[in-house]
Amino acid sequence: MNNRLDDDGTYTYEYDGEGNLIKRTETSSGDDLLLTRDSAGAATHRYLNGPLVDQVLADDKLVSNSGGSARVQWPLSDEQQTPRKL
């Protein structure tokens, strides 16, 4: 397990092949937080998922070391839950 915490009673955790945390799921509700990382292992995006399959409620672009600006995008979906606008 490489000294990784998989479950603390409140959340379960998932890691990538390099040991970086990529997902945290609340055990009681199933709510999760998904992270994407760059090649150096720094978190670049944090996604807030909804209750439907592949439903992203928000994409939080984190500030990068290269000076990029932070922003949150809120996808607006149509009646079939297909994202149409950011």
Side-chain angles (χ1 to χ4, degrees), residues 32-77:
D32 60 11
L33 173 72
L34 181 67
L35 299 171
T36 58
R37 297 183 179 273
D38 62 15
S39 60
T44 58
H45 289 261
R46 179 173 48 197
Y47 298 97
L48 173 63
N49 293 325
L52 302 177
V53 174
D54 294 332
Q55 182 184 29
V56 176
L57 299 178
D59 172 2
D60 184 7
K61 180 180 183 252
L62 306 172
V63 176
S64 68
N65 291 338
S66 61
S69 60
R71 62 169 166 67
V72 177
Q73 291 184 334
W74 300 89
L76 300 176
S77 301

Side-chain angles (χ1 to χ4, degrees), residues 8 16 25-26 42 47-48 57 59 78-79 81 83-84:
D8 65 6
D16 65 12
T25 304
E26 188 173 9
Y47 298 97
L48 173 63
L57 299 178
D59 172 2
D78 62 15
E79 66 278 353
Q81 300 304 316
R84 295 295 178 191

Side-chain angles (χ1 to χ4, degrees), residues 4-35:
R4 298 180 201 152
L5 178 65
D6 292 326
D7 188 331
D8 65 6
T10 303
Y11 297 101
T12 57
Y13 303 92
E14 293 180 33
Y15 301 87
D16 65 12
E18 296 178 0
N20 298 309
L21 177 66
I22 57 170
K23 186 174 183 181
R24 180 189 76 184
T25 304
E26 188 173 9
T27 306
S28 63
S29 69
D31 292 342
D32 60 11
L33 173 72
L34 181 67
L35 299 171

